[in-house]
Amino acid sequence: MNNEKKSLLGLTLSEMKQIAVACGMPAYIGGQMAQWIYQKHVKDINDMTNISKANREKLAEKYEIGCMPPIDAQHSKDGTIKYLFPVHNCQLTPQSDSTQQKFVETVFIPEAGGRATLCVSSQVGCKMNCLFCQTGKQGFEGSLSATDILNQIYSLPEVDELTNIVYMGQGEPMDNIDNVLRSTEILTASYGMAWSPKRITVSSVGIKGKLQRFLNESECHVAISLHSPIPEQRAQIMPAQRGMGIEDVVGLLRNYDFTHQRRLSFEYIMFGGFNDSNTHARAIVKLLHGLKCRVNLIRFHQIPDVPLHGSDEKRMEAFRDYLTAHGIFTTIRASRGQDIFAACGLLSTSRKISQIRNEEN
């Protein structure tokens, strides 16, 4: 891919119209470009056949679609597939090595009944540094552009099978709010991929100011990483608690209506002897009282050098039953892709990139 050319993938309709005019073409050609990219999924400007050859050549001098296929795929015994996507236009940190190609992991999760979910990444690594998450151990190298977020969907081999998208891969979406909002706009816009916001869920630990902006500017579902209802304990495993406490997060959420189509959920990884007691269950009921939401209990997947272990199945079921009995709809999320390190908290490109670079040398 010629990095000197700019990507069309990730641009809004108005931006494509501006490009058309700047190239000496009528503005309506920008609409044709958007249709070819977001609805017909072309991979090359030359495939936009209702645009004249001369105009396609003008476009191709400065622009390209910007899609890049995954370079690796790992298949789980349960049908989950973890893809490794190259990153084209990452907003790197000053400390990151700009000479090295960056990558992110994306997880395709097929389910019974024709449902298929894609877990996309929003950053290379993550700066939240949650104790229980392998991505945080990787460190933070930069935020993905809207091009790179959408490319995980656009260039997915199973793109036509997708029914749902979750921003629960590598990175904290609210820490990359501009590009996340741009990508969800394009996903849901009539000129874009025309997805219903009900098919998209964006997760967050809670970032002051940015979570509120997302709630105001997007209609997509919201998932909050809870993991402990006790502020002091949550701070032990989630440094973000010190920036925006869980009480502040819940207080903000109470200003929004989740009684209709938009859904609010709380993610809760269960650690044996740490956050799975009756005291924690009662604290969750108190914290979320009167809030229309659901709680998803998640099995902990062990990572190196972390002194936590998962709750057993009996304890998880008792925890679920207590919350349900007290008016909070609660489920135990099925664990998928653990054998290929694709399950919750296990995404990290470090191991795979080291392998690839060793093979190149």
Side-chain angles (χ1 to χ4, degrees):
M1 182 175 289
N2 183 349
N3 289 325
E4 294 181 358
K5 292 187 178 182
K6 297 179 180 179
S7 297
L8 295 175
L9 179 64
L11 298 184
T12 63
L13 175 61
S14 63
E15 289 168 336
M16 290 194 191
K17 288 182 176 180
Q18 290 171 16
I19 286 172
V21 172
C23 289
M25 299 179 279
Y28 73 82
I29 289 182
Q32 294 176 325
M33 291 157 54
Q35 184 179 50
W36 280 110
I37 294 171
Y38 296 130
Q39 296 169 22
K40 298 182 180 180
H41 288 183
V42 296
K43 300 295 191 291
D44 191 283
I45 289 173
N46 201 46
D47 294 332
M48 301 178 179
T49 52
N50 65 348
I51 299 175
S52 71
K53 183 178 179 181
N55 282 336
R56 278 180 274 156
E57 289 175 350
K58 286 182 185 178
L59 276 175
E61 287 177 6
K62 296 181 179 179
Y63 297 94
E64 60 193 354
I65 302 299
C67 55
M68 295 190 294
I71 65 164
D72 186 72
Q74 293 176 265
H75 295 255
S76 168
K77 59 187 178 184
D78 65 19
T80 299
I81 307 173
K82 183 172 70 172
Y83 288 104
L84 187 70
F85 278 97
V87 171
H88 177 47
N89 189 26
C90 183
Q91 299 166 356
L92 296 174
T93 65
Q95 296 75 30
S96 181
D97 184 354
S98 60
T99 65
Q100 295 279 15
Q101 173 70 59
K102 308 303 178 187
F103 300 87
V104 291
E105 293 185 326
T106 308
V107 183
F108 173 71
I109 310 167
E111 301 174 59
R115 181 183 171 98
T117 299
L118 187 69
C119 181
V120 302
S121 295
S122 57
Q123 296 180 312
V124 179
C126 183
K127 66 175 72 166
M128 297 301 108
N129 199 27
C130 295
L131 178 64
F132 48 83
C133 182
Q134 189 66 48
T135 304
K137 312 304 177 195
Q138 178 181 331
F140 176 70
E141 294 196 70
S143 290
L144 300 189
S145 64
T147 304
D148 287 314
I149 294 174
L150 291 171
N151 182 59
Q152 296 167 70
I153 304 159
Y154 198 88
S155 297
L156 184 79
E158 298 83 4
V159 62
D160 293 333
E161 301 174 32
L162 290 180
T163 61
N164 297 83
I165 293 171
V166 295
Y167 284 66
M168 296 183 182
Q170 294 173 276
E172 162 57 47
M174 301 306 154
D175 193 45
N176 188 17
I177 186 66
D178 289 335
N179 290 307
V180 166
L181 282 172
R182 175 182 280 265
S183 66
T184 57
E185 176 193 335
I186 291 168
L187 279 170
T188 58
S190 58
Y191 71 79
M193 298 185 186
W195 277 53
S196 166
K198 294 185 294 182
R199 298 169 62 190
I200 303 168
T201 300
V202 180
S203 71
S204 179
V205 298
I207 305 292
K208 189 171 291 187
K210 296 181 179 181
L211 176 58
Q212 182 174 13
R213 184 179 163 198
F214 180 81
L215 291 165
N216 289 338
E217 297 182 28
S218 173
E219 297 179 359
C220 296
H221 297 322
V222 182
I224 300 297
S225 298
L226 176 55
H227 310 314
S228 177
I230 301 171
E232 297 77 15
Q233 187 183 55
R234 189 172 186 259
Q236 293 175 28
I237 58 173
M238 298 176 67
Q241 166 70 22
R242 302 183 184 98
M244 186 178 189
I246 192 60
E247 314 97 315
D248 294 332
V249 172
V250 172
L252 173 64
L253 294 168
R254 290 189 185 279
N255 297 321
Y256 296 85
D257 185 3
F258 297 101
T259 61
H260 298 291
Q261 293 188 350
R262 193 178 202 183
R263 190 172 67 231
L264 169 64
S265 59
F266 289 86
E267 310 297 297
Y268 197 86
I269 298 177
M270 293 197 67
F271 307 109
F274 183 80
N275 68 348
D276 62 350
S277 71
N278 291 340
T279 299
H280 290 90
R282 288 192 294 269
I284 291 174
V285 171
K286 182 179 179 180
L287 177 69
L288 304 183
H289 178 71
L291 192 61
K292 179 68 174 178
C293 64
R294 66 172 63 193
V295 172
N296 295 318
L297 303 181
I298 303 170
R299 295 171 179 83
F300 175 57
H301 305 288
Q302 196 73 41
I303 63 175
D305 303 319
V306 172
L308 295 169
H309 64 275
S311 303
D312 61 39
E313 198 70 19
K314 184 177 180 180
R315 184 63 206 143
M316 291 188 72
E317 290 173 356
F319 204 89
R320 174 200 62 194
D321 294 345
Y322 181 92
L323 295 182
T324 300
H326 288 78
I328 300 176
F329 179 64
T330 305
T331 62
I332 299 175
R333 181 183 290 169
S335 181
R336 301 290 302 274
Q338 186 174 358
D339 56 325
I340 57 169
F341 299 95
C344 183
L346 296 182
L347 296 185
S348 173
T349 57
S350 300
R351 183 187 303 105
K352 191 63 186 179
I353 299 313
S354 296
Q355 177 185 334
I356 290 171
R357 287 174 181 158
N358 286 337
E359 290 172 355
E360 289 176 347
N361 294 331

